Amino acid sequence: MNLEKLSINTATFKNLSLRHVVDLCVKNNIKAIGPWRDKIHEVGLKEASRIINASGLQVSGLCRGGFFVADNNHNWDDNKIAIEEAAELNAGCLVIVSGGMLANNKNLSQTHNYIADGLAKMTELGNEMGVPIALEPLHPMYAADRCSINSLKHAIDICEQIGEGIGVAIDAYHVWWDPDVDAQIKRAGELGKIYGYHVCDWLAPTTDMLLDRGLMGDGVIDLKSMTQKIESTGHNGFTEVEIFSKKLWQLPPDEMMEKVIERFKNEV
Amino acid sequence: MNLEKLSINTATFKNLSLRHVVDLCVKNNIKAIGPWRDKIHEVGLKEASRIINASGLQVSGLCRGGFFVADNNHNWDDNKIAIEEAAELNAGCLVIVSGGMLANNKNLSQTHNYIADGLAKMTELGNEMGVPIALEPLHPMYAADRCSINSLKHAIDICEQIGEGIGVAIDAYHVWWDPDVDAQIKRAGELGKIYGYHVCDWLAPTTDMLLDRGLMGDGVIDLKSMTQKIESTGHNGFTEVEIFSKKLWQLPPDEMMEKVIERFKNEV
């Protein structure tokens, strides 16, 4: 993939500060960054904004809002702040992970409805503040306690129902296994609802449900095919490399960045 | 659920011999068993058949055939034996786990086609031998290396395409997260293609991708709702309790069996 499209999600360099990741990006002539909010909070929003603006990097997306079931009010106190932060950082979108199931409630439909209500509220505020809301379906292995929206189809259904201002972030790691994924990418494209595209790889075997993601090309995902499907919808945004990996986090940052760039060029 | 419907899958008592599980079932007035093939092989097919026949237990299903990608011939040598074993044991079905992706091939559709071809061959022999073939979709976290058929919809699509003699084994653990599952249970019922129903529970958090399944009622799955959906299709077969759990395997067998029976009555 064309390097002009590369955005570095800060989760790929979990042990580095925002400033360190920004410097690494600039040094490597990268055009965009996808920060996590903890990295923003470490230095404070104003300083984070200053660091990023001074660097010339664009913010492809801010990770993340959501986790609606954290309280009885759609986690609104935190989600409101997340939208404000995304606005301040001029982020391309605010990425949403829905959170898991309602406490003491095994009725998944009720969780889905509660999440959809929270998303509608966020989209309303996002529209006011100029922040696109990007709903990211997560792999079904997170359905219980992290994200109960687990397929691209379901995410698009919700976005379509809500309307303007909300779309999907498509993370290859979460959706690659789904025989319906190509059709849903096409559908999201036709609706103008592809707000983000994230890549890494699924390792076989995977030894940890959270922190064993792979560098593009080291796993089983046909990333080139997925990229082609996404680009053929006319989607023209950044592609974030987001790799949660206890193993890769141990590499020297320069070495890791070199690998990321090489793989992005040749495997995505 | 009515105890008359309970079948004990031998994986629930992984450390016990076939004879030990059979005796435990008889002692507890259980009507059926779902043996894994390794437990059959430990004593040999003839002796296993003799033990089970003498006990009066029915065999709800034999676990398992499949793993089509193990060689270039749909793992046929082993799959043929699996069908013969299921016939000898008079099993209600032979459960199939498809196996993961073709080696060095990231094109999932090609894997799916290869699996479908293998299933067609098995169904043909199964029809000759009087063995129903039960395709079990596994959770998407196994898509790469254990089972590339990961939704009930996909499994039913394949069964419908092949025709007579193949249906689905619905394991709550693998399909509970899917917002489409109720509709697909109804569809499978209408097609007369529910060949098996397995239960355990999804723990939150889950600490191991293979061996951290829960006792019914200890997790998040709405098993009563799923059972009701399955029974309302007219399905009237056994329900297998199949719990892979390093933790529960440590319990004394009598204590574990008591829990299984209590939970089956009150949580399924």
Side-chain angles (χ1 to χ4, degrees), chain A residues 127-159:
Chain A
N127 280 333
E128 278 173 34
M129 306 272 295
V131 175
I133 303 297
L135 175 60
E136 181 175 340
L138 256 54
H139 193 284
M141 69 185 168
Y142 305 123
D145 41 17
R146 190 166 295 264
C147 178
S148 299
I149 309 298
N150 307 103
S151 70
L152 192 50
K153 177 181 186 301
H154 194 186
I156 300 170
D157 287 349
I158 294 172
C159 292

PDB file of all heavy atoms in Angstrom, chain A residues 127-159:
ATOM      1  N   ASN A 127     -22.142  15.309  15.649  1.00  0.00           N
ATOM      2  CA  ASN A 127     -22.571  16.171  14.541  1.00  0.00           C
ATOM      3  C   ASN A 127     -22.462  17.653  14.922  1.00  0.00           C
ATOM      4  O   ASN A 127     -22.002  18.473  14.135  1.00  0.00           O
ATOM      5  CB  ASN A 127     -24.003  15.825  14.119  1.00  0.00           C
ATOM      6  CG  ASN A 127     -24.048  14.595  13.210  1.00  0.00           C
ATOM      7  OD1 ASN A 127     -23.091  14.290  12.493  1.00  0.00           O
ATOM      8  ND2 ASN A 127     -25.160  13.877  13.234  1.00  0.00           N
ATOM      9  N   GLU A 128     -22.842  17.966  16.147  1.00  0.00           N
ATOM     10  CA  GLU A 128     -22.728  19.358  16.626  1.00  0.00           C
ATOM     11  C   GLU A 128     -21.278  19.818  16.661  1.00  0.00           C
ATOM     12  O   GLU A 128     -20.961  20.960  16.345  1.00  0.00           O
ATOM     13  CB  GLU A 128     -23.276  19.471  18.055  1.00  0.00           C
ATOM     14  CG  GLU A 128     -24.785  19.610  18.158  1.00  0.00           C
ATOM     15  CD  GLU A 128     -25.242  19.536  19.628  1.00  0.00           C
ATOM     16  OE1 GLU A 128     -24.497  20.016  20.519  1.00  0.00           O
ATOM     17  OE2 GLU A 128     -26.328  18.964  19.857  1.00  0.00           O
ATOM     18  N   MET A 129     -20.389  18.866  17.078  1.00  0.00           N
ATOM     19  CA  MET A 129     -18.988  19.245  17.309  1.00  0.00           C
ATOM     20  C   MET A 129     -18.112  18.971  16.084  1.00  0.00           C
ATOM     21  O   MET A 129     -16.902  19.196  16.129  1.00  0.00           O
ATOM     22  CB  MET A 129     -18.419  18.437  18.486  1.00  0.00           C
ATOM     23  CG  MET A 129     -19.228  18.514  19.755  1.00  0.00           C
ATOM     24  SD  MET A 129     -18.767  19.903  20.819  1.00  0.00           S
ATOM     25  CE  MET A 129     -17.086  19.467  21.294  1.00  0.00           C
ATOM     26  N   GLY A 130     -18.683  18.458  15.030  1.00  0.00           N
ATOM     27  CA  GLY A 130     -17.888  18.158  13.833  1.00  0.00           C
ATOM     28  C   GLY A 130     -17.004  16.929  13.989  1.00  0.00           C
ATOM     29  O   GLY A 130     -15.935  16.856  13.379  1.00  0.00           O
ATOM     30  N   VAL A 131     -17.429  15.964  14.808  1.00  0.00           N
ATOM     31  CA  VAL A 131     -16.641  14.747  15.013  1.00  0.00           C
ATOM     32  C   VAL A 131     -17.388  13.524  14.474  1.00  0.00           C
ATOM     33  O   VAL A 131     -18.393  13.108  15.050  1.00  0.00           O
ATOM     34  CB  VAL A 131     -16.332  14.527  16.514  1.00  0.00           C
ATOM     35  CG1 VAL A 131     -15.611  13.191  16.719  1.00  0.00           C
ATOM     36  CG2 VAL A 131     -15.507  15.673  17.070  1.00  0.00           C
ATOM     37  N   PRO A 132     -16.912  12.943  13.386  1.00  0.00           N
ATOM     38  CA  PRO A 132     -17.517  11.699  12.891  1.00  0.00           C
ATOM     39  C   PRO A 132     -17.318  10.560  13.911  1.00  0.00           C
ATOM     40  O   PRO A 132     -16.237  10.417  14.481  1.00  0.00           O
ATOM     41  CB  PRO A 132     -16.733  11.408  11.606  1.00  0.00           C
ATOM     42  CG  PRO A 132     -16.104  12.711  11.219  1.00  0.00           C
ATOM     43  CD  PRO A 132     -15.827  13.410  12.505  1.00  0.00           C
ATOM     44  N   ILE A 133     -18.359   9.783  14.108  1.00  0.00           N
ATOM     45  CA  ILE A 133     -18.323   8.664  15.054  1.00  0.00           C
ATOM     46  C   ILE A 133     -18.087   7.377  14.267  1.00  0.00           C
ATOM     47  O   ILE A 133     -18.853   7.055  13.357  1.00  0.00           O
ATOM     48  CB  ILE A 133     -19.664   8.570  15.821  1.00  0.00           C
ATOM     49  CG1 ILE A 133     -19.960   9.886  16.550  1.00  0.00           C
ATOM     50  CG2 ILE A 133     -19.661   7.393  16.785  1.00  0.00           C
ATOM     51  CD1 ILE A 133     -18.962  10.257  17.623  1.00  0.00           C
ATOM     52  N   ALA A 134     -17.018   6.662  14.629  1.00  0.00           N
ATOM     53  CA  ALA A 134     -16.655   5.446  13.878  1.00  0.00           C
ATOM     54  C   ALA A 134     -16.819   4.216  14.763  1.00  0.00           C
ATOM     55  O   ALA A 134     -15.989   3.936  15.629  1.00  0.00           O
ATOM     56  CB  ALA A 134     -15.216   5.541  13.375  1.00  0.00           C
ATOM     57  N   LEU A 135     -17.883   3.474  14.529  1.00  0.00           N
ATOM     58  CA  LEU A 135     -18.178   2.269  15.299  1.00  0.00           C
ATOM     59  C   LEU A 135     -17.322   1.109  14.788  1.00  0.00           C
ATOM     60  O   LEU A 135     -17.378   0.762  13.611  1.00  0.00           O
ATOM     61  CB  LEU A 135     -19.665   1.934  15.153  1.00  0.00           C
ATOM     62  CG  LEU A 135     -20.159   0.626  15.782  1.00  0.00           C
ATOM     63  CD1 LEU A 135     -19.921   0.604  17.280  1.00  0.00           C
ATOM     64  CD2 LEU A 135     -21.644   0.423  15.469  1.00  0.00           C
ATOM     65  N   GLU A 136     -16.548   0.526  15.684  1.00  0.00           N
ATOM     66  CA  GLU A 136     -15.661  -0.568  15.294  1.00  0.00           C
ATOM     67  C   GLU A 136     -16.197  -1.897  15.827  1.00  0.00           C
ATOM     68  O   GLU A 136     -16.178  -2.128  17.031  1.00  0.00           O
ATOM     69  CB  GLU A 136     -14.245  -0.321  15.840  1.00  0.00           C
ATOM     70  CG  GLU A 136     -13.263  -1.414  15.461  1.00  0.00           C
ATOM     71  CD  GLU A 136     -11.826  -1.108  15.898  1.00  0.00           C
ATOM     72  OE1 GLU A 136     -11.498   0.066  16.156  1.00  0.00           O
ATOM     73  OE2 GLU A 136     -11.026  -2.054  15.996  1.00  0.00           O
ATOM     74  N   PRO A 137     -16.684  -2.776  14.939  1.00  0.00           N
ATOM     75  CA  PRO A 137     -17.066  -4.102  15.425  1.00  0.00           C
ATOM     76  C   PRO A 137     -15.810  -4.849  15.851  1.00  0.00           C
ATOM     77  O   PRO A 137     -14.797  -4.811  15.146  1.00  0.00           O
ATOM     78  CB  PRO A 137     -17.721  -4.765  14.211  1.00  0.00           C
ATOM     79  CG  PRO A 137     -17.198  -4.039  13.021  1.00  0.00           C
ATOM     80  CD  PRO A 137     -16.840  -2.647  13.475  1.00  0.00           C
ATOM     81  N   LEU A 138     -15.878  -5.488  17.006  1.00  0.00           N
ATOM     82  CA  LEU A 138     -14.728  -6.272  17.471  1.00  0.00           C
ATOM     83  C   LEU A 138     -14.995  -7.766  17.296  1.00  0.00           C
ATOM     84  O   LEU A 138     -16.134  -8.202  17.185  1.00  0.00           O
ATOM     85  CB  LEU A 138     -14.439  -5.978  18.950  1.00  0.00           C
ATOM     86  CG  LEU A 138     -13.230  -5.068  19.237  1.00  0.00           C
ATOM     87  CD1 LEU A 138     -13.323  -3.770  18.475  1.00  0.00           C
ATOM     88  CD2 LEU A 138     -13.113  -4.780  20.737  1.00  0.00           C
ATOM     89  N   HIS A 139     -13.930  -8.523  17.279  1.00  0.00           N
ATOM     90  CA  HIS A 139     -14.017  -9.975  17.114  1.00  0.00           C
ATOM     91  C   HIS A 139     -15.002 -10.567  18.129  1.00  0.00           C
ATOM     92  O   HIS A 139     -15.042 -10.137  19.284  1.00  0.00           O
ATOM     93  CB  HIS A 139     -12.622 -10.575  17.314  1.00  0.00           C
ATOM     94  CG  HIS A 139     -12.520 -11.995  16.867  1.00  0.00           C
ATOM     95  ND1 HIS A 139     -13.029 -13.033  17.601  1.00  0.00           N
ATOM     96  CD2 HIS A 139     -12.004 -12.552  15.749  1.00  0.00           C
ATOM     97  CE1 HIS A 139     -12.810 -14.178  16.969  1.00  0.00           C
ATOM     98  NE2 HIS A 139     -12.188 -13.909  15.836  1.00  0.00           N
ATOM     99  N   PRO A 140     -15.773 -11.583  17.716  1.00  0.00           N
ATOM    100  CA  PRO A 140     -16.749 -12.194  18.632  1.00  0.00           C
ATOM    101  C   PRO A 140     -16.163 -12.708  19.943  1.00  0.00           C
ATOM    102  O   PRO A 140     -16.898 -12.901  20.896  1.00  0.00           O
ATOM    103  CB  PRO A 140     -17.316 -13.346  17.792  1.00  0.00           C
ATOM    104  CG  PRO A 140     -17.219 -12.859  16.387  1.00  0.00           C
ATOM    105  CD  PRO A 140     -15.915 -12.096  16.339  1.00  0.00           C
ATOM    106  N   MET A 141     -14.869 -12.933  20.014  1.00  0.00           N
ATOM    107  CA  MET A 141     -14.319 -13.415  21.292  1.00  0.00           C
ATOM    108  C   MET A 141     -14.379 -12.338  22.370  1.00  0.00           C
ATOM    109  O   MET A 141     -14.169 -12.617  23.542  1.00  0.00           O
ATOM    110  CB  MET A 141     -12.878 -13.941  21.114  1.00  0.00           C
ATOM    111  CG  MET A 141     -11.836 -12.923  20.818  1.00  0.00           C
ATOM    112  SD  MET A 141     -10.233 -13.766  20.499  1.00  0.00           S
ATOM    113  CE  MET A 141      -9.280 -12.397  19.822  1.00  0.00           C
ATOM    114  N   TYR A 142     -14.728 -11.096  21.972  1.00  0.00           N
ATOM    115  CA  TYR A 142     -14.876 -10.012  22.946  1.00  0.00           C
ATOM    116  C   TYR A 142     -16.338  -9.687  23.251  1.00  0.00           C
ATOM    117  O   TYR A 142     -16.632  -8.696  23.919  1.00  0.00           O
ATOM    118  CB  TYR A 142     -14.184  -8.741  22.440  1.00  0.00           C
ATOM    119  CG  TYR A 142     -12.722  -8.924  22.091  1.00  0.00           C
ATOM    120  CD1 TYR A 142     -12.245  -8.621  20.815  1.00  0.00           C
ATOM    121  CD2 TYR A 142     -11.814  -9.394  23.033  1.00  0.00           C
ATOM    122  CE1 TYR A 142     -10.907  -8.784  20.483  1.00  0.00           C
ATOM    123  CE2 TYR A 142     -10.477  -9.565  22.713  1.00  0.00           C
ATOM    124  CZ  TYR A 142     -10.023  -9.250  21.436  1.00  0.00           C
ATOM    125  OH  TYR A 142      -8.702  -9.407  21.126  1.00  0.00           O
ATOM    126  N   ALA A 143     -17.248 -10.506  22.747  1.00  0.00           N
ATOM    127  CA  ALA A 143     -18.683 -10.161  22.808  1.00  0.00           C
ATOM    128  C   ALA A 143     -19.194  -9.948  24.230  1.00  0.00           C
ATOM    129  O   ALA A 143     -20.048  -9.092  24.472  1.00  0.00           O
ATOM    130  CB  ALA A 143     -19.508 -11.249  22.126  1.00  0.00           C
ATOM    131  N   ALA A 144     -18.686 -10.726  25.180  1.00  0.00           N
ATOM    132  CA  ALA A 144     -19.241 -10.656  26.535  1.00  0.00           C
ATOM    133  C   ALA A 144     -18.803  -9.410  27.278  1.00  0.00           C
ATOM    134  O   ALA A 144     -19.616  -8.734  27.906  1.00  0.00           O
ATOM    135  CB  ALA A 144     -18.833 -11.897  27.335  1.00  0.00           C
ATOM    136  N   ASP A 145     -17.516  -9.088  27.205  1.00  0.00           N
ATOM    137  CA  ASP A 145     -17.009  -8.106  28.160  1.00  0.00           C
ATOM    138  C   ASP A 145     -16.268  -6.915  27.559  1.00  0.00           C
ATOM    139  O   ASP A 145     -15.740  -6.085  28.305  1.00  0.00           O
ATOM    140  CB  ASP A 145     -16.117  -8.788  29.191  1.00  0.00           C
ATOM    141  CG  ASP A 145     -15.200  -9.837  28.582  1.00  0.00           C
ATOM    142  OD1 ASP A 145     -15.020  -9.825  27.353  1.00  0.00           O
ATOM    143  OD2 ASP A 145     -14.669 -10.666  29.332  1.00  0.00           O
ATOM    144  N   ARG A 146     -16.266  -6.815  26.231  1.00  0.00           N
ATOM    145  CA  ARG A 146     -15.499  -5.725  25.633  1.00  0.00           C
ATOM    146  C   ARG A 146     -16.278  -5.033  24.516  1.00  0.00           C
ATOM    147  O   ARG A 146     -16.259  -3.802  24.387  1.00  0.00           O
ATOM    148  CB  ARG A 146     -14.176  -6.271  25.112  1.00  0.00           C
ATOM    149  CG  ARG A 146     -13.166  -5.262  24.678  1.00  0.00           C
ATOM    150  CD  ARG A 146     -11.799  -5.894  24.514  1.00  0.00           C
ATOM    151  NE  ARG A 146     -11.282  -6.361  25.788  1.00  0.00           N
ATOM    152  CZ  ARG A 146     -10.444  -5.669  26.551  1.00  0.00           C
ATOM    153  NH1 ARG A 146      -9.993  -4.490  26.140  1.00  0.00           N
ATOM    154  NH2 ARG A 146     -10.037  -6.155  27.707  1.00  0.00           N
ATOM    155  N   CYS A 147     -16.960  -5.829  23.742  1.00  0.00           N
ATOM    156  CA  CYS A 147     -17.697  -5.253  22.611  1.00  0.00           C
ATOM    157  C   CYS A 147     -18.740  -6.248  22.118  1.00  0.00           C
ATOM    158  O   CYS A 147     -18.389  -7.308  21.602  1.00  0.00           O
ATOM    159  CB  CYS A 147     -16.731  -4.902  21.480  1.00  0.00           C
ATOM    160  SG  CYS A 147     -17.561  -4.241  20.025  1.00  0.00           S
ATOM    161  N   SER A 148     -19.993  -5.897  22.259  1.00  0.00           N
ATOM    162  CA  SER A 148     -21.077  -6.807  21.858  1.00  0.00           C
ATOM    163  C   SER A 148     -21.555  -6.570  20.425  1.00  0.00           C
ATOM    164  O   SER A 148     -22.558  -7.140  20.014  1.00  0.00           O
ATOM    165  CB  SER A 148     -22.254  -6.692  22.825  1.00  0.00           C
ATOM    166  OG  SER A 148     -21.857  -7.055  24.125  1.00  0.00           O
ATOM    167  N   ILE A 149     -20.841  -5.731  19.692  1.00  0.00           N
ATOM    168  CA  ILE A 149     -21.137  -5.557  18.262  1.00  0.00           C
ATOM    169  C   ILE A 149     -20.000  -6.254  17.529  1.00  0.00           C
ATOM    170  O   ILE A 149     -18.867  -5.762  17.522  1.00  0.00           O
ATOM    171  CB  ILE A 149     -21.214  -4.064  17.866  1.00  0.00           C
ATOM    172  CG1 ILE A 149     -22.151  -3.291  18.805  1.00  0.00           C
ATOM    173  CG2 ILE A 149     -21.625  -3.916  16.394  1.00  0.00           C
ATOM    174  CD1 ILE A 149     -23.594  -3.748  18.798  1.00  0.00           C
ATOM    175  N   ASN A 150     -20.287  -7.402  16.911  1.00  0.00           N
ATOM    176  CA  ASN A 150     -19.210  -8.293  16.497  1.00  0.00           C
ATOM    177  C   ASN A 150     -19.166  -8.639  15.030  1.00  0.00           C
ATOM    178  O   ASN A 150     -18.425  -9.546  14.631  1.00  0.00           O
ATOM    179  CB  ASN A 150     -19.295  -9.586  17.323  1.00  0.00           C
ATOM    180  CG  ASN A 150     -19.320  -9.296  18.803  1.00  0.00           C
ATOM    181  OD1 ASN A 150     -20.368  -9.356  19.435  1.00  0.00           O
ATOM    182  ND2 ASN A 150     -18.190  -8.911  19.334  1.00  0.00           N
ATOM    183  N   SER A 151     -19.963  -7.977  14.233  1.00  0.00           N
ATOM    184  CA  SER A 151     -19.823  -8.203  12.798  1.00  0.00           C
ATOM    185  C   SER A 151     -19.997  -6.871  12.085  1.00  0.00           C
ATOM    186  O   SER A 151     -20.671  -5.962  12.575  1.00  0.00           O
ATOM    187  CB  SER A 151     -20.847  -9.217  12.288  1.00  0.00           C
ATOM    188  OG  SER A 151     -22.148  -8.659  12.314  1.00  0.00           O
ATOM    189  N   LEU A 152     -19.385  -6.793  10.920  1.00  0.00           N
ATOM    190  CA  LEU A 152     -19.485  -5.568  10.136  1.00  0.00           C
ATOM    191  C   LEU A 152     -20.940  -5.319   9.762  1.00  0.00           C
ATOM    192  O   LEU A 152     -21.420  -4.184   9.800  1.00  0.00           O
ATOM    193  CB  LEU A 152     -18.599  -5.720   8.896  1.00  0.00           C
ATOM    194  CG  LEU A 152     -18.326  -4.461   8.090  1.00  0.00           C
ATOM    195  CD1 LEU A 152     -17.861  -3.311   8.969  1.00  0.00           C
ATOM    196  CD2 LEU A 152     -17.285  -4.754   7.014  1.00  0.00           C
ATOM    197  N   LYS A 153     -21.669  -6.374   9.435  1.00  0.00           N
ATOM    198  CA  LYS A 153     -23.076  -6.219   9.096  1.00  0.00           C
ATOM    199  C   LYS A 153     -23.861  -5.555  10.227  1.00  0.00           C
ATOM    200  O   LYS A 153     -24.605  -4.599  10.011  1.00  0.00           O
ATOM    201  CB  LYS A 153     -23.693  -7.577   8.753  1.00  0.00           C
ATOM    202  CG  LYS A 153     -25.192  -7.466   8.450  1.00  0.00           C
ATOM    203  CD  LYS A 153     -25.842  -8.784   8.126  1.00  0.00           C
ATOM    204  CE  LYS A 153     -27.289  -8.582   7.696  1.00  0.00           C
ATOM    205  NZ  LYS A 153     -28.121  -7.926   8.713  1.00  0.00           N
ATOM    206  N   HIS A 154     -23.669  -6.070  11.433  1.00  0.00           N
ATOM    207  CA  HIS A 154     -24.409  -5.521  12.569  1.00  0.00           C
ATOM    208  C   HIS A 154     -24.041  -4.047  12.788  1.00  0.00           C
ATOM    209  O   HIS A 154     -24.909  -3.200  13.030  1.00  0.00           O
ATOM    210  CB  HIS A 154     -24.106  -6.346  13.816  1.00  0.00           C
ATOM    211  CG  HIS A 154     -25.044  -6.099  14.962  1.00  0.00           C
ATOM    212  ND1 HIS A 154     -24.871  -6.641  16.191  1.00  0.00           N
ATOM    213  CD2 HIS A 154     -26.169  -5.346  15.053  1.00  0.00           C
ATOM    214  CE1 HIS A 154     -25.847  -6.261  16.999  1.00  0.00           C
ATOM    215  NE2 HIS A 154     -26.643  -5.474  16.338  1.00  0.00           N
ATOM    216  N   ALA A 155     -22.756  -3.745  12.687  1.00  0.00           N
ATOM    217  CA  ALA A 155     -22.323  -2.357  12.876  1.00  0.00           C
ATOM    218  C   ALA A 155     -22.938  -1.443  11.820  1.00  0.00           C
ATOM    219  O   ALA A 155     -23.418  -0.341  12.132  1.00  0.00           O
ATOM    220  CB  ALA A 155     -20.789  -2.284  12.837  1.00  0.00           C
ATOM    221  N   ILE A 156     -22.925  -1.888  10.577  1.00  0.00           N
ATOM    222  CA  ILE A 156     -23.508  -1.050   9.514  1.00  0.00           C
ATOM    223  C   ILE A 156     -25.019  -0.899   9.720  1.00  0.00           C
ATOM    224  O   ILE A 156     -25.576   0.193   9.508  1.00  0.00           O
ATOM    225  CB  ILE A 156     -23.216  -1.647   8.111  1.00  0.00           C
ATOM    226  CG1 ILE A 156     -21.706  -1.744   7.873  1.00  0.00           C
ATOM    227  CG2 ILE A 156     -23.844  -0.777   7.022  1.00  0.00           C
ATOM    228  CD1 ILE A 156     -21.337  -2.548   6.624  1.00  0.00           C
ATOM    229  N   ASP A 157     -25.680  -1.987  10.123  1.00  0.00           N
ATOM    230  CA  ASP A 157     -27.123  -1.900  10.406  1.00  0.00           C
ATOM    231  C   ASP A 157     -27.408  -0.757  11.387  1.00  0.00           C
ATOM    232  O   ASP A 157     -28.313   0.054  11.183  1.00  0.00           O
ATOM    233  CB  ASP A 157     -27.645  -3.208  11.025  1.00  0.00           C
ATOM    234  CG  ASP A 157     -27.748  -4.350  10.020  1.00  0.00           C
ATOM    235  OD1 ASP A 157     -27.618  -4.090   8.798  1.00  0.00           O
ATOM    236  OD2 ASP A 157     -27.945  -5.498  10.450  1.00  0.00           O
ATOM    237  N   ILE A 158     -26.627  -0.718  12.459  1.00  0.00           N
ATOM    238  CA  ILE A 158     -26.828   0.320  13.480  1.00  0.00           C
ATOM    239  C   ILE A 158     -26.540   1.705  12.906  1.00  0.00           C
ATOM    240  O   ILE A 158     -27.293   2.656  13.114  1.00  0.00           O
ATOM    241  CB  ILE A 158     -25.933   0.039  14.710  1.00  0.00           C
ATOM    242  CG1 ILE A 158     -26.385  -1.249  15.394  1.00  0.00           C
ATOM    243  CG2 ILE A 158     -25.970   1.209  15.683  1.00  0.00           C
ATOM    244  CD1 ILE A 158     -25.446  -1.725  16.502  1.00  0.00           C
ATOM    245  N   CYS A 159     -25.455   1.820  12.168  1.00  0.00           N
ATOM    246  CA  CYS A 159     -25.092   3.125  11.577  1.00  0.00           C
ATOM    247  C   CYS A 159     -26.176   3.594  10.614  1.00  0.00           C
ATOM    248  O   CYS A 159     -26.523   4.786  10.590  1.00  0.00           O
ATOM    249  CB  CYS A 159     -23.772   3.024  10.818  1.00  0.00           C
ATOM    250  SG  CYS A 159     -22.356   2.741  11.874  1.00  0.00           S
TER     251      CYS A 159
END
